[in-house]
Amino acid sequence: MTTPVYQNFINGHFVANQSGETFAVKNPATDAVIYHVEVADEFIQQQAIASAKQGFAIWSAMTAVERSRILLKAVTLLRERNDELAKIEVLDTGKPWQEAECVDVQTGADVIEYFAGLAPAQVGQQQMVGDDFYYTRKEPLGICAGIGAWNYPLQIACWKSGPALAAGNAFIFKPSEETPLGAIKLAEIYIEAGVPAGVFNVVQGAAEVGQWLTQSSAIDKVSFTGEVGTGKKVVASAAGSLKDVTMELGGKSPLLVFDDADISQAVSAAMLGNFYTQGEICTNCTRIYVHKNVYQQFIDELKTRTEKNIIAGDPLDAKVNFGALISKKHQQLVMSYIEKGLSEGATLLTGGKELSPDSAPHGYFVAPTVFTDCTDEMTIVKEEIFGPVMSVLVFDDEDDVIHRANDTHLGLAAGVFSKDIKRAHRVIHQLQAGICWINSYGNSPAEMPVGGYKQSGIGRENGIETLDHYTQTKSIYVGMSNIESPF
Ligand code: NDP
């Protein structure tokens, strides 16, 4: 059976490359090639820039209300096609249908809807300066680029393009080579909704295509989601043309469980924050610090629920709640971290092996894994694994655990479980992280800004402030009196 071949999406339609180069995309749950994609060669890259320039001229000249109406149509189409799009995400990423069906498309649509609503509310300022005055305009940046990771491909494309388009920019998006289809579907939906051709373009390929986007002097901003190491390369490359950057990078986030916490709730948060999307979520609380008075109770319940309630298997089966990792290579990387955990002396509470479920025997599964007796120096406690591997540590002093939680170069997220509201706020205010939860973990509504402290990121996505990251302020001074000149 021949598989489909998808081309790059430029100026409102699919465009063939000239090199003929393609790459294959596999379903992580079956190891089967499901389609091929043409690489964005130099011809496509030139077309993408020319298309975005044309698109920008049309789109930025429209009123914010006009843009908003069109984007809201795209939101309606996204929601109407939820199941078709969710299935694409399941096949590309290996995540369970029961997640994709209610999260991936919906949270993407929510963010476009949020920024479509905000776009017409963006206003400049006016201030008198004596008899003269100045006013400011919020103008779009021009052509923005997005580079996405593979864990939430469609959602990332929506989260980046939503505010960018609402503010009047044109966009060129490069999805991860592992998950390229969702962004193409979004491009088709934008066109169907009435977004002018050229405003949203999709270019395909691996690091070289990403590098071109970061280097191109025709591009005014790059919004990147991916690993810290790649993010540093992107910032360095973007510096060549002094592009604006937004960086959504990795984390090694702490969850602090105090002895007055609702332990069942804390276990729920720990499991969601390590096993949802089979552990491939940037904000995951992979370091769980549990107070010594409740440590045994916590790990007993965690072990029971992990072994009883997690169902790995064919991700399209609605009963399955735990999917396959993105690739064989990533599965092996996660397994190598598990081996390091064992060799450095952590106790394996549960998991620690590859899985081969009957309904998906060739998938890249790793069992939900919990290590206890972890110490701060262990590799599994220090490095982002991006898989279903939880490290549990014990503490007995508030100040000490805050210090330990902050002792990392990363600062994406953090959480606190405690019924003492004074303590919960006192502690969370001292944690060095951009996305924090109290008695909750992982929720990320469109209204709430998200982004990292320290090496976990630059700038924010979502929330009102993100529109500022996609606009620039023009100040206009207006002289009302004669100029006084010494010349
Ligand atoms: P990578 O950094 O490997 O890749 C991210 C994207 O960058 C991909 O599209 C990749 O292309 C591209 N790329 C690779 N090298 C370059 C380069 N030199 N210049 C420009 N682009 C490049 O991340 P992963 O895809 O492996 O995603 C996992 C990581 O993403 C984790 O660290 C995770 O924490 C982080 N992440 C952060 C989020 C956040 O919001 N903070 C959300 C989701 C994930 P290709 O893959 O096609 O080679």
Side-chain angles (χ1 to χ4, degrees):
M1 199 177 73
T2 54
T3 57
V5 181
Y6 292 98
Q7 296 173 332
N8 292 273
F9 195 93
I10 308 290
N11 204 23
H13 53 268
F14 290 101
V15 178
N17 69 7
Q18 290 185 341
S19 66
E21 196 187 339
T22 62
F23 60 91
V25 178
K26 281 185 169 183
N27 176 348
T30 62
D31 190 42
V33 172
I34 44 178
Y35 58 92
H36 288 80
V37 179
E38 289 192 2
V39 174
D41 58 7
E42 213 177 308
F43 169 73
I44 292 291
Q45 294 172 8
Q46 284 168 3
Q47 298 288 310
I49 297 290
S51 153
K53 276 187 183 156
Q54 280 176 30
F56 177 69
I58 300 165
W59 188 239
S60 60
M62 290 167 76
T63 66
V65 170
E66 286 170 320
R67 289 199 297 266
S68 175
R69 271 190 212 121
I70 292 171
L71 291 174
L72 289 173
K73 272 190 207 151
V75 170
T76 303
L77 292 172
L78 279 164
R79 292 197 177 125
E80 280 172 10
R81 296 193 194 150
N82 182 73
D83 288 6
E84 176 202 334
L85 297 166
K87 188 172 174 193
I88 288 170
E89 297 301 80
V90 172
L91 297 178
D92 271 10
T93 63
K95 69 173 65 184
W97 164 260
Q98 66 164 241
E99 290 183 15
E101 186 266 337
C102 62
V103 174
D104 292 57
V105 190
Q106 296 195 19
T107 53
D110 287 351
V111 165
I112 299 175
E113 184 175 45
Y114 174 75
F115 286 109
L118 281 179
Q122 270 218 312
V123 289
Q125 296 171 327
Q126 181 274 337
Q127 188 176 19
M128 299 306 297
V129 190
D131 291 334
D132 296 350
F133 67 96
Y134 77 88
Y135 65 96
T136 61
R137 282 163 54 88
K138 290 278 186 189
E139 296 188 347
L141 299 172
I143 303 175
C144 301
I147 300 176
W150 41 254
N151 59 341
Y152 280 79
L154 177 69
Q155 187 210 60
I156 291 173
C158 292
W159 283 22
K160 293 191 185 305
S161 62
L165 266 53
N169 299 282
F171 213 77
I172 304 176
F173 186 76
K174 187 199 93 63
S176 164
E177 209 187 6
E178 323 247 28
T179 55
L181 192 48
I184 298 175
K185 293 292 166 188
L186 178 64
E188 289 177 328
I189 283 174
Y190 275 142
I191 291 293
E192 204 177 321
V195 173
V199 173
F200 183 78
N201 309 276
V202 180
V203 293
Q204 302 282 6
E208 306 77 56
V209 178
Q211 280 161 1
W212 157 67
L213 286 170
T214 61
Q215 277 161 11
S216 169
S217 56
I219 292 172
D220 301 287
K221 175 186 174 89
V222 59
S223 175
F224 173 82
T225 297
E227 290 173 11
V228 174
T230 320
K232 288 178 184 173
K233 288 184 198 158
V234 168
V235 173
S237 174
S241 51
L242 279 184
K243 280 183 192 39
D244 192 7
V245 292
T246 296
M247 293 282 131
E248 294 290 340
L249 309 176
K252 190 75 196 174
S253 302
L255 175 70
L256 278 48
V257 180
F258 285 89
D259 56 359
D260 62 349
D262 179 326
I263 296 303
S264 289
Q265 287 284 299
V267 169
S268 295
M271 290 180 71
L272 276 170
N274 279 275
F275 303 143
Y276 205 70
T277 317
Q278 54 288 333
E280 296 168 328
I281 296 186
C282 52
T283 48
N284 273 355
C285 47
T286 46
R287 294 184 288 146
I288 311 272
Y289 294 89
V290 184
H291 193 278
K292 70 173 180 5
N293 294 347
V294 290
Y295 185 75
Q296 197 57 47
Q297 184 190 350
F298 181 90
I299 60 174
D300 287 348
E301 180 169 341
L302 177 63
K303 180 174 162 62
T304 306
R305 287 173 58 181
T306 301
E307 290 175 355
K308 197 167 141 230
N309 298 343
I310 290 189
I311 306 167
D314 175 2
L316 284 171
D317 178 344
K319 288 193 294 301
V320 163
N321 60 20
F322 188 83
L325 295 178
I326 189 68
S327 63
K328 184 89 194 155
K329 189 172 154 214
H330 192 54
Q331 182 196 36
Q332 295 313 309
L333 179 72
V334 173
M335 287 307 299
S336 73
Y337 274 109
I338 290 173
E339 278 150 30
K340 273 189 199 135
L342 289 169
S343 68
E344 291 177 16
T347 304
L348 186 63
L349 183 73
T350 185
K353 56 180 192 294
E354 292 177 20
L355 290 179
S356 183
D358 290 344
S359 58
H362 305 296
Y364 318 128
F365 292 85
V366 170
T369 298
V370 180
F371 280 109
T372 56
D373 300 323
C374 297
T375 59
D376 295 348
E377 304 71 37
M378 289 177 178
T379 310
I380 53 167
V381 176
K382 286 182 120 50
E383 295 184 12
E384 183 184 46
I385 302 173
F386 220 57
V389 183
M390 183 194 308
S391 298
V392 187
L393 304 99
V394 68
F395 77 93
D396 64 1
D397 177 75
E398 181 180 308
D399 289 339
D400 184 52
V401 76
I402 292 168
H403 171 78
R404 290 167 66 195
N406 286 335
D407 188 19
T408 163
H409 64 289
L410 300 170
L412 190 58
V416 170
F417 267 77
S418 170
K419 285 188 190 141
D420 176 344
I421 58 164
K422 286 186 189 161
R423 170 157 61 196
H425 290 283
R426 180 173 71 232
V427 171
I428 213 90
H429 292 176
Q430 295 176 77
L431 292 177
Q432 296 160 352
I435 314 168
C436 295
W437 290 278
I438 293 175
N439 296 332
S440 177
Y441 208 88
N443 284 344
S444 194
E447 297 88 334
M448 185 172 97
V450 287
Y453 278 20
K454 299 196 265 190
Q455 293 189 24
S456 287
I458 301 173
R460 292 293 176 268
E461 288 191 327
N462 300 346
I464 291 176
E465 68 186 86
T466 294
L467 269 187
D468 288 337
H469 295 304
Y470 282 102
T471 53
Q472 50 196 338
T473 302
K474 178 176 281 176
S475 298
I476 301 152
Y477 187 98
V478 182
M480 299 293 287
S481 43
N482 288 334
I483 293 172
E484 284 179 26
S485 169
F487 305 115

